[in-house]
Amino acid sequence: MIADSMKLETWSRGKKCEFSISVIDLDKVADIEQLPIELLISDCDEGRHGTRITLSHLRQGLAFPSPDKMRQLLLQEYGREEEFNVVVNDKPLGVDDIQGTYTAHEKELPSAGSVKLAFTVSNQRGKLKKPGISIRVGGKVVGNPDFFGLEKAEDFPPKLLDKIYGEVEVDGLSDHVTADWGALVENSELYQEVANHIQPIIRQKVKEEYGREMNLAQARLKKKINDRLAQLPEYKRQYADKAIKSILGRYYGEPENKVEPIVGVLLDALERSDYRSVLDFIHAAEHTDIAKLAEALAEFGIAELAIVGEQAKSRLEFLDRFEELCQKKDTEESLIHSSLEKNLWVFGVKYSVFSSNKTLKRQIEDYLGKKYTGKRADKRPDLMLSVNYAYEYLLIEFKRPSHNLRHKDYTQATKYRNDFDPYTSSQIKVLLIGGKRGQDLPSSEYIESNTEILIFDEIISSARNQLNWLLKELGGESHA
């Protein structure tokens, strides 16, 4: 992308190995796996070790590569590795290389002793890889990165956890590390002391970095919907203000054109006549007795549940029609695609937050247009690419409901992910969906991570069971 040639040199055990490739070489082969590599080996000093990659003949018309940006990318890939150092322009990678607000804090705790904390609250778009605070004891990392209880705090937006990156040195925890250094002892009071010290520091820095932006976003939304807010009674405006803040926290980082419709639905609910009567009753009850207030809150809950119940019934009807479509032998993948594109809730709650957009559709079209031309055009697969608010991607390959999934379908689906990997630093989850499972499909323990194989009948049955359970809990009648 940025250079016409690349040279790789590595030194180890008294030998230097090197090879070079160029864009011209790549253009001569269909795939990089077919590229012949000429490896040159020579002697070197026994004590020398390491690897150097040199890009040359940089593309004219592009800005010179930024060392700071290079450090940020490399830190996310290799910053957590043990006994492994990366140096860019004579500076080793460090926590301070993450783009954002860097904080270094040191304190002597009564029982745990010296605590040296260094972390950055990232202000770059998208989530960091392996976010959290690594705990070092005696210079060695213990277990996975930690959030010290912030992941359980109801008042802390979960999405902002992905903006925290750093490490803390606490040698006083040496007696509380498990034998495999995979974690700290679960009921360690020393760890709790450290967590109680670190959590408010992180919380304060995240608030400083993102609190202003959330307030500005709320102000911009209020300006757009000011006329509607002005028509609400004072107590409803207070409720709307609190609810908007909650929405901004939950959907932090999303474009305003995505958040604004959610706020609009909230205001629609407040303006509805049935909601208005219930809320008026609640407002009046605040100035009377406790029993009346309890009755009013119960009425409000009934109004909420009625809407949820209607949605559940509508979804059950959708599943009935979708099942009929799947049972027809001549149903093509494209029909399934169009049916599910805006109904990903069918796959489960965790997929309901994914959505597609024009950019993702264009990426799919560009990819398929290059891969499947001429005689291969009739083998073009049906793919759907979606993304959620955490910028995690979902790649779905649809097979017709009458198709038995085979091992070659599985390998093809995972290859699509590999083809899309260069376009994003985010994780890509793959769903392969078909009519039945073939005998040569890999078993669950051999399936790649972030990959699922689903069957239409099982998907429909699971979604229907969840909706029936919901209707039963709401006091309604379930549907067979």
Side-chain angles (χ1 to χ4, degrees):
M1 292 177 66
I2 66 170
D4 286 338
S5 62
M6 182 191 82
K7 180 180 180 182
L8 185 145
E9 304 165 278
T10 187
W11 295 265
S12 179
R13 299 186 292 276
K15 294 293 182 181
K16 174 188 177 183
C17 299
E18 62 179 290
F19 70 87
S20 301
I21 60 174
S22 68
V23 172
I24 295 175
D25 296 331
L26 288 170
D27 288 341
K28 293 178 180 178
V29 296
D31 195 287
I32 193 170
E33 294 176 354
Q34 302 170 9
L35 184 68
I37 299 295
E38 182 180 357
L39 189 65
L40 303 178
I41 303 175
S42 59
D43 295 329
C44 71
D45 186 272
E46 283 284 345
R48 187 168 186 184
H49 60 87
T51 298
R52 178 171 63 202
I53 297 173
T54 305
L55 301 178
S56 57
H57 300 93
L58 300 182
R59 297 285 177 88
Q60 302 302 306
L62 296 177
F64 196 79
S66 165
D68 292 336
K69 184 67 174 178
M70 178 77 77
R71 290 191 190 96
Q72 292 169 29
L73 295 173
L74 291 173
L75 183 67
Q76 292 192 53
E77 293 290 344
Y78 305 107
R80 303 287 192 194
E81 298 296 329
E82 289 290 311
E83 301 179 0
F84 185 88
N85 295 317
V86 178
V87 178
V88 179
N89 284 0
D90 299 323
K91 181 188 181 303
L93 294 185
V95 175
D96 56 332
D97 287 318
I98 291 287
Q99 178 184 322
T101 303
Y102 172 74
T103 299
H105 186 89
E106 185 174 351
K107 187 174 181 179
E108 192 80 17
L109 297 184
S111 300
S114 175
V115 175
K116 297 178 181 179
L117 173 66
F119 70 97
T120 295
V121 179
S122 169
N123 58 16
Q124 63 193 58
R125 189 173 181 84
K127 62 182 291 187
L128 297 172
K129 287 188 176 180
K130 299 182 181 179
I133 307 294
S134 293
I135 301 175
R136 286 188 180 272
V137 178
K140 188 174 180 180
V141 174
V142 180
N144 296 320
D146 202 335
F147 294 103
F148 301 98
L150 281 174
E151 71 278 13
K152 300 176 183 177
E154 294 183 359
D155 61 338
F156 193 91
K159 192 170 183 180
L160 293 184
L161 293 172
D162 296 328
K163 304 291 186 180
I164 302 166
Y165 189 100
E167 62 181 37
V168 59
E169 295 182 33
V170 195
D171 291 344
L173 292 174
S174 57
D175 293 335
H176 291 229
V177 179
T178 58
D180 62 352
W181 283 75
L184 292 166
V185 177
E186 187 173 347
N187 58 348
S188 169
E189 292 184 357
L190 293 185
Y191 166 78
Q192 195 57 52
E193 182 185 44
V194 173
N196 292 339
H197 168 66
I198 291 178
Q199 187 187 119
I201 297 174
I202 299 176
R203 184 187 287 270
Q204 179 60 33
K205 292 301 177 181
V206 171
K207 183 178 180 181
E208 290 175 5
E209 181 67 37
Y210 288 98
R212 292 187 297 271
E213 293 186 23
M214 291 175 70
N215 289 336
L216 286 172
Q218 185 185 14
R220 288 193 296 268
L221 277 173
K222 277 189 172 182
K223 187 176 180 180
K224 290 183 179 179
I225 58 179
N226 201 42
D227 291 341
R228 293 185 66 182
L229 282 172
Q231 296 174 10
L232 294 174
E234 178 61 30
Y235 69 95
K236 287 188 180 180
R237 284 201 295 271
Q238 293 175 1
Y239 175 82
D241 180 75
K242 182 179 179 181
I244 291 173
K245 285 181 179 178
S246 175
I247 290 170
L248 289 174
R250 182 183 295 268
Y251 296 97
Y252 178 80
E254 289 293 329
E256 285 183 32
N257 61 351
K258 286 188 177 181
V259 180
E260 191 174 351
I262 300 174
V263 175
V265 171
L266 167 72
L267 294 174
D268 288 341
L270 288 171
E271 291 170 353
R272 282 172 57 116
S273 58
D274 50 351
Y275 269 79
R276 175 167 298 186
S277 60
V278 172
L279 288 170
D280 285 342
F281 192 24
I282 292 175
H283 178 58
E286 289 176 351
H287 306 288
T288 56
D289 56 76
I290 299 295
K292 190 175 181 182
L293 178 59
E295 181 186 351
L297 292 173
E299 289 293 331
F300 183 75
I302 290 171
E304 288 277 354
L305 295 177
I307 292 176
V308 174
E310 286 301 317
Q311 183 190 55
K313 290 179 180 178
S314 298
R315 288 185 171 185
L316 282 169
E317 186 175 349
F318 169 86
L319 288 176
D320 291 341
R321 303 288 83 77
F322 181 64
E323 187 173 34
E324 292 175 5
L325 184 66
C326 290
Q327 289 173 347
K328 295 179 179 179
K329 293 184 178 181
D330 58 346
T331 298
E332 298 288 340
E333 294 96 329
S334 57
L335 291 176
I336 299 296
H337 183 150
S338 60
S339 298
L340 294 179
E341 185 172 11
K342 295 183 179 179
N343 292 288
L344 293 181
W345 56 266
V346 171
F347 302 120
V349 175
K350 61 183 177 180
Y351 296 114
S352 61
V353 293
F354 283 88
S355 61
S356 185
N357 56 44
K358 291 182 179 179
T359 301
L360 298 180
K361 289 180 179 178
R362 178 180 54 77
Q363 288 178 338
I364 285 288
E365 285 302 315
D366 289 348
Y367 168 77
L368 295 178
K370 294 175 182 177
K371 284 277 184 179
Y372 298 90
T373 57
K375 295 181 179 179
R376 301 188 67 205
D378 60 340
K379 296 183 179 180
R380 174 183 170 123
D382 201 305
L383 300 178
M384 184 169 73
L385 187 63
S386 300
V387 65
N388 66 8
Y389 57 82
Y391 287 91
E392 297 168 332
Y393 285 80
L394 177 66
L395 180 65
I396 304 177
E397 181 182 7
F398 296 99
K399 296 297 183 182
R400 65 180 63 193
S402 59
H403 178 80
N404 285 1
L405 295 176
R406 307 295 299 273
H407 184 269
K408 64 179 182 179
D409 299 319
Y410 165 76
T411 55
Q412 185 64 64
T414 53
K415 184 179 185 300
Y416 294 145
R417 170 168 50 202
N418 297 336
D419 290 345
F420 276 101
D421 266 337
Y423 299 103
T424 177
S425 60
S426 300
Q427 289 187 347
I428 301 178
K429 185 174 181 66
V430 172
L431 294 185
L432 173 62
I433 306 173
K436 292 182 180 179
R437 287 183 173 85
Q439 293 182 351
D440 63 344
L441 276 179
S443 56
S444 57
E445 61 265 29
Y446 296 111
I447 292 178
E448 291 185 23
S449 61
N450 282 328
T451 304
E452 278 192 72
I453 300 174
L454 302 176
I455 304 303
F456 285 112
D457 286 347
E458 295 173 358
I459 293 170
I460 294 169
S461 178
S462 176
R464 185 176 281 133
N465 287 339
Q466 290 181 29
L467 291 170
N468 281 328
W469 173 87
L470 178 59
L471 284 174
K472 185 177 179 181
E473 290 296 309
L474 294 177
E477 295 181 1
S478 61
H479 291 222

